[in-house]
Amino acid sequence: MAENTAETVRNAVVEAALGKLDLDAKTRLLAGQDMWSLPALPEIGLKSLVMSDGPIGVRGVRWTADDPSVALPSPTALAATWDPALARRAGRLLAQEARRKGVHVLLAPTVNLHRTPLGGRHFEAYSEDPYLTGAIGTGYVQGVQDGGVGTTVKHFVANDAETDRFTVDNRIAPRPLRELYLAPFEAIVRNARPWGIMTAYNQVNGVTMTEHHELVNEVLRGEWGFDGYNVSDWMAARSTTADIAGGLDVAMPGPDTVYGPALAAAVRAGEVEESAVDTAVRNVLRLAARVGALEGAPPVVTEHPAAIDGDALAREIARRGFVLVRNENGALPLAAGRTVALSGAAARDARVLGGGSAQVFPDHVVSPLDGLTAALPEGALTFAIGADPSEELAPADQGFTLRARCRDASGTVIGEGSLPNGQVQWIGNDLPEGVTHAALASIEVVGTFTPRESGEHAFGTRGLGAFTLTVAGETVYEGTQALGPETDPFEAFFGSPVERGKVALTAGETVEVSLLHTLDKEFAAPLPAVMFSFVHLAPRRDPDELIAEAVEAARAADTAVVVVATTERVESEGFDRKDLALPGRQDDLVRAVAAANPNTVVVVNAGSPVELPWREDVAAILLSWFPGQEGGAALADVLTGAEEPGGRLPTTWPVTLADAPVTEVTPTDGELHYGEGVFIGYRAWDKAGAVPAYPFGHGLGYTTWSYDTLTATPDAVTVRITNTGDRPGRETVQIYLAPVATESNGAQSATVERPARWLAAFASVEAAPGASVETEIALPRRAFEIWDEEKNDWTLVTGAYEVVAAHSLTDGRLTATLEV
């Protein structure tokens, strides 16, 4: 069936279904029935639409490891590939995962910008650059929807930091709003036609985004032609009348929202036109028709893409996203037969994904230690902890086997469920079988712990309310944790863990553990939920001793590899970062190892920029981001030279936080002013004349390239390059535009303040040793336009431009002048 004919049929079925619904059914559909789904309406053949978090994996509707998910590398890693086609393949895999789990809509991608380096959730977004963000997001959305699953592009708009995200009023002038923050959303809407959008918690210029008629109805739907559904971020909808007037279709989570009976009552009271409700319902029914959940309506996708090997794709994305920012004297790849001294706690217990709503539970994780052990000959690898990035207790994980036992008020067990770790996060109906919130009075986390180290193990709690903690038959703690100054639920329930006591344990000897949590309405979450953690910290050995052991091993090896990392207390949803320093003694470890072995390679396991004060003292630095479940295997591929690190920086990495031109994330009197205008990221660095540690677009490979010819027209550039090295390679050709001040370019460009240069286009090419390849790269008209605040429209800025074909922002290889 031709798509336009199918669309006509879908629309007809939607209108017929809408005509059969009464007001109460319509408003109930817009309210959600639980944490993750909308109600089924059998009278019109509508199935329940199911949503799930999904930036890097599809968790499904339950917080459990019983139904594992493929865990891809972080969105920053995907953006570092600079490859929309690879992002599309990632999307197709996630659609495959969604279908397997009965999910119709992914709550992704996140396309907010890295406005400052301090954003705590930047690992879940792509880049500081709107064009790159839009291109990667377009590929992702196309891929997911290729598989017949909807997307919700989020968070619309300007949710670029986490501090006070529920209430902050981000004050942004029209030009930066259009040229930067709206731009990725516009590109994705126009190029990928997403079936959904998610509106953010924050305000923009005095109006809460779920109520923002101008940006949602006039810009998103009117100017751009968005015809999907608009769902609130969870708990973001606050006003029945203002939300429906602002273009919000669905208020989540249900069933108690500002829609449902409250919306029906507002219509009956004459406060809301029923036609506004019909518009919202029509958008939801159109989504249902597209994903195949509305009887009689042909789904958009009737034949799904070929099955994808999730492990293989996760491994490919990881290595393609790794950014080699330093490689002195050919330190990488490792020469055959070399011995390697590996150190860093994160080499053994890798952090493969970020904290918060993006979290999933893979059925396996390949750590750097696992990957290198498998790849190197027996006896070639040693491992020392060296330094541990985590200095506080974290949810019980390695060595623990845990279950949750649920009881009612009489103490009768009403259900049990497995736990992926010591964190309990049951929201809405995500409860063990047979358990309801009404009946649930207490939860006991029970199980065993087999320590890896002998010594004093610390145990504790995270969350609010009454706890009884028992280890090896000994009651370690009994008491109540009250609410502190936290304002964000994520911070309150997943904030600082509290140590409750220490117990001496012996490595390899299994003990029983228990944490009983009695529920109390005083400490109830802001929605039906049970959220708390059983936390643990292994014995802390003397940090200097650990470093000394790593140094001794490094001195005896040909190459030292140090893995440094952030923790979920550094990068997570719900709070921003206070600094860019690596936690713990990791910097000291790198310095000491590098002093002992000049051939030191550092692997940086972080989702977004961190300070690297020793960067000039080591032979090589590889940024691995949060590399997903196959990260260790991909790392071995790249270190041994079986594969090339393919990444280029999607975000500028500063030397220190103090060098970064834009850093403010904390509102003043409720307002956060984006006073830097269009100057964020590399645009701001250029304006300040400052030099970062590593510029936007930077990344080294294992071969070399000559840029041979460049021709440019206002519509496209053609670049010819040659692989001048001795192995096959991949190059990301980056095209930047820089306005040229000349007498002939008119008053217009002279009076418009613009960045010194900006990314206009890019393309990836591959070539064998000695081979040349030519690529034509389209130049979008928007690259030559600005948002004219007086005309309230896009305006072409005529005049002369320097077109630069570059390896990175600061490594231009060829230039041509273009008159527009």
Side-chain angles (χ1 to χ4, degrees), residues 298-340:
V300 171
V301 177
T302 54
E303 290 188 27
H304 297 128
I308 296 173
D309 182 331
D311 293 355
L313 184 58
R315 186 170 180 166
E316 180 183 353
I317 293 171
R319 63 173 172 78
R320 290 279 308 281
F322 288 166
V323 183
L324 184 61
V325 294
R326 179 178 173 86
N327 193 21
E328 296 299 296
N329 302 316
L332 292 179
L334 300 174
R338 306 273 286 188
T339 55
V340 175

Side-chain angles (χ1 to χ4, degrees), residues 74 76 114 116-125 566 570-571 577 580 582 604-611 623 625-626 651-654:
S74 61
T76 42
H114 297 184
T116 88
L118 292 177
R121 202 176 180 181
H122 279 348
F123 62 87
E124 195 181 315
T566 59
V570 174
E571 292 183 90
R577 299 159 74 183
L580 302 182
L582 287 166
V604 183
N605 180 193
S608 50
V610 292
E611 293 175 0
L623 311 181
W625 312 105
F626 296 148
T651 291
T652 307
W653 277 51

Side-chain angles (χ1 to χ4, degrees), residues 324 327 330-336 338 637-643 701-702 727:
L324 184 61
N327 193 21
L332 292 179
L334 300 174
R338 306 273 286 188
D637 289 342
V638 165
L639 294 184
T640 61
E643 301 286 355
Y702 287 161
R727 58 176 288 160

